[in-house]
């Protein structure tokens, strides 16, 4: 067992066998919220989050550290009962393409990108980045020296109404999805991935590697027809289906998982 594993084991033992009244109060609160059978899940998650801030695993664990972990476990549960409602528009074609979605608040920025991009029928064949304020977060295998989108959670941004997040996809074709937070909602139970949903939308999806043609199709249709005629194509070669909310929700989780698997293989 390495030092990190020993530290984790020691933290859990101290947490579950403490005589500290403040720590016990937090644990009792957690038990009331999640039940005895699930408390270990949140304790483990809280320890993992706490250990990201530890510089030296040889340092003794003090009661203050254990109390921080106990409080963090309660906070993790509270966050898991929240959802975020977002509106997403495709930059340049916001009137023709948008989505409103409700997603778990405890997902990563990478998860947010997977949901948004898959809901616009991207195929996961290009890199992406997430921009929040002055901060840029890249997908797992970006070649840029940036923070990773799969290591930052939405809840860590302390989002509120009208906060803005941009998702860049395909740095050559430059698709920009502009995300606006509409609300942070509280629920009586955990809001899971299975509860994720598209509320409404417009526009079927993007045309991979054909950003210029898609813009032309919606902004100057006659010029679009002339262009594709010159290159020996017809309008039937392009997907212009109408958006359907039932179809979008039927495909949402499968498309998310496929998109995530595509990026994870890179």
């Amino acid at each position: 067992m390495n030092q990190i594993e020993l530290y984790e084991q020691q933290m859990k033992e101290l947490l579950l066998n403490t005589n500290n009244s403040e720590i016990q109060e937090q644990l009792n609160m957690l038990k009331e919220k999640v039940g005895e059978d699930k408390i270990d899940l949140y304790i483990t998650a809280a320890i993992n989050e706490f250990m990201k801030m530890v510089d030296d695993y040889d340092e003794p664990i003090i009661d203050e550290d254990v109390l921080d972990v106990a409080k963090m476990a309660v906070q993790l549960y509270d966050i898991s009962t929240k959802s975020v409602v977002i509106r997403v528009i495709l930059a340049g074609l916001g009137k023709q393409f948008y989505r409103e979605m409700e997603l778990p608040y405890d997902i990563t920025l990478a998860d947010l990108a997977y949901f948004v991009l898959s809901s616009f029928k991207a195929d996961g064949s290009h890199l992406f980045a997430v921009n929040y304020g002055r901060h840029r977060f890249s997908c797992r295998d970006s070649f840029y020296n940036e923070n990773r989108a799969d290591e930052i959670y939405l809840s860590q941004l302390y989002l509120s109404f009208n906060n803005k997040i941009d998702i860049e996809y395909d740095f050559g074709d430059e698709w920009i999805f502009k995300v606006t937070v509409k609300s942070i909602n509280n629920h009586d139970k955990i809001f899971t991935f299975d509860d994720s949903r598209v509320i409404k939308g417009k526009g079927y999806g993007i045309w991979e590697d054909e950003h210029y043609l898609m813009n032309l199709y919606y902004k100057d249709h006659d010029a679009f027809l002339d262009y594709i005629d010159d290159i020996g194509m017809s309008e039937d070669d392009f997907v212009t289906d109408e958006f359907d909310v039932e179809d979008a929700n039927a495909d949402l989780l499968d498309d998310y998982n496929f998109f995530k698997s595509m990026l994870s293989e890179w």
Side-chain angles (χ1 to χ4, degrees), residues 15 53 76 94 205 208 211-212 216 258:
L15 188 62
M53 301 179 287
L76 287 174
E208 289 277 356
H211 197 171
Y212 169 75
L216 202 60
F258 175 76

Side-chain angles (χ1 to χ4, degrees), residues 105 109 112 129-137 147 152-168 179 181:
Y105 190 40
L109 294 181
L112 172 68
V130 181
N131 298 313
Y132 181 67
R134 297 181 179 179
H135 302 285
R136 181 180 173 90
F137 306 89
N147 297 311
I152 303 295
Y153 289 81
L154 285 180
S155 57
Q156 292 177 294
L157 302 183
Y158 301 100
L159 297 173
S160 59
F161 172 72
N162 219 35
N163 281 163
K164 313 289 187 185
I165 300 172
D166 285 353
I167 300 172
E168 299 177 48
V179 180
V181 175

Side-chain angles (χ1 to χ4, degrees), residues 110 114 127-128 138-143 148-150 260 262-266:
Y114 299 146
L127 299 176
F128 70 84
S138 292
C139 59
R140 190 173 67 86
D141 292 297
S142 172
F143 300 109
R148 283 175 46 164
D150 60 352
K260 184 173 183 177
M262 289 292 292
L263 268 297
S264 297
E265 290 175 0
W266 285 33

Side-chain angles (χ1 to χ4, degrees), residues 71-127:
K71 288 179 178 179
M72 195 177 296
V74 175
Q75 291 169 355
L76 287 174
Y77 172 77
D78 290 339
I79 291 170
S80 73
T81 64
K82 297 178 184 293
S83 65
V84 58
V85 176
I86 59 173
R87 182 179 176 88
V88 190
I89 64 169
L90 178 59
L93 292 171
K95 293 182 179 179
Q96 292 85 5
F97 285 85
Y98 77 89
R99 300 286 187 269
E100 286 193 11
M101 309 173 72
E102 185 173 21
L103 304 172
Y105 190 40
D106 61 349
I107 60 175
T108 67
L109 294 181
D111 289 325
L112 172 68
Y114 299 146
F115 270 119
V116 168
L117 294 170
S118 58
S119 76
F120 281 89
K121 300 301 179 182
D123 65 13
S125 58
H126 300 283
L127 299 176

